[in-house]
Structure formats: structure tokens, C-alpha cells
Amino acid sequence: MAIDQFKWKKAQFSAPVSLKFIEALQVSGSSGCNRYFGSASLQDNTLYIGNLGMTRKLCDEASNAVEQQFLALLQSGVRATFIDGKLQLSGEQTFLFKAVK
């Protein structure tokens, strides 16, 4: 199941942020500029991403800001809830994802 972001309130950027859950709670996706991957755990509705690895492309300032905030949120733990069939990750910023095939 792939889950792609469609809402971001504070920055305009060229590539969408995405989060894909693959087997054994592994994740991968786009952080707005670079591709990332890692292992996921879910505890008390909080999603944590560990063993984070990523590509190292140079990106525009807005994309870098989104990327840094999104990855910091995942690594520190983010409240994960489902609202109307969408995944909401809530922290300092809120990321709202919709499921895609």
C-alpha cells in the first residue's frame, strides 16, 4: 500500500512527500527531494522510523525545509491517526496522506 501526501500548508515544493509501507514494517518514500528508507514501529498510535537512510541530492530551499521537518518528525515519533480513510501524521506540522494504488 502506498500512501502519498496531498496537503502541506507552509511550503511550496516540486516533489510530493510520500510514505510507502512494505513488508515487515519497512518504509520508503520521498521526503520532498530525496528518497528515504527505514524500519518502522508503531507504539500507542505513535509511528517511529529507525535505521533511516536516504539519497543526498541538492534541493531548493523550500524542499529542504519540508524534508528536514518531515524526517525529524518520523525519527522522533509522530502521532499517527486515520481520519476519513486518510493517514494523518501530527507533530509540529501535520502531514495528511491519501492511499494510492
Side-chain angles (χ1 to χ4, degrees), residues 42 44-47 78-90 94-97:
L42 186 63
D44 298 323
N45 293 329
T46 301
L47 176 66
V78 59
R79 181 156 178 78
T81 54
F82 283 96
I83 299 172
D84 296 327
K86 298 176 181 90
L87 174 62
Q88 180 174 305
L89 301 181
S90 303
T94 298
F95 289 83
L96 187 60
F97 297 82

Side-chain angles (χ1 to χ4, degrees), residues 26 37-39 49-53:
Q26 297 294 306
F37 55 91
S39 57
I49 305 298
N51 301 319
L52 186 67

Side-chain angles (χ1 to χ4, degrees), residues 11-84:
Q12 297 293 324
F13 51 95
S14 57
V17 173
S18 66
L19 175 65
K20 182 178 181 181
F21 292 88
I22 50 182
E23 55 187 71
L25 279 178
Q26 297 294 306
V27 296
S28 67
S30 170
S31 54
C33 175
N34 286 287
R35 304 281 309 155
Y36 69 91
F37 55 91
S39 57
S41 65
L42 186 63
Q43 301 168 3
D44 298 323
N45 293 329
T46 301
L47 176 66
Y48 298 92
I49 305 298
N51 301 319
L52 186 67
M54 62 188 294
T55 60
R56 299 285 180 189
K57 295 190 305 186
L58 181 61
C59 306
D60 62 84
E61 190 174 318
S63 295
N64 283 335
V66 170
E67 179 173 84
Q68 290 173 5
Q69 194 161 34
F70 180 66
L71 294 175
L73 193 68
L74 291 179
Q75 291 178 82
S76 65
V78 59
R79 181 156 178 78
T81 54
F82 283 96
I83 299 172
D84 296 327

